[in-house]
Amino acid sequence: MLIVFWSVRAASDRATVDVLQKAGETLSVQAETLTGVLDKYRLMPPLLSRQSSVASLFIRDGDGNPQALDARHMAQELAGMSAAKDVAFLFPDGEILEHAHGAFVENGVGLEQLVEVARQGKLGRMALSLPNGARSYAFSSGVRRNGKLVGVVIVYVDFYRVEAAWALSAYP
């Protein structure tokens, strides 16, 4: 009886080790996938904020009107080329200049925190969700001209694509 007990126990221990090893490997692969996706978008706001074409979006003409049409076209182009969920341009006070698609920007979810971190000269990052269940990860960076903060760029990442890739995994 003791031999049967120890045999079952040893088989159970081996099975547990196998499951834990496979789970660890799967977690490693999934973490690398997520890191790769987020790294692509993490770099966008700081790179965009250094472009003179982006800084010029925040110049107001004699009537005080921003270059909203140019900003909207640029946001749509950038979102389309990068497959970002959204790209948004805001003034330092949080007022929206323009965006490509808008669900998160228009709802104001996390804007205050993302703009505040950008004001401090840091890369903002935040996981966001809307009441309807839509989720995103956002990165923000300040746009400076002559050392003065003139705007903020926010790039939103769509979690759906990452989750869809995870669902195809052999061990989701």
Side-chain angles (χ1 to χ4, degrees), residues 6 23 93:
W6 286 112
D93 63 1

Side-chain angles (χ1 to χ4, degrees), residues 152-170:
V152 176
V153 177
I154 302 177
V155 175
Y156 294 87
V157 181
D158 188 356
F159 272 142
Y160 176 76
R161 291 174 192 256
V162 176
E163 290 170 342
W166 283 345
L168 296 174
S169 169

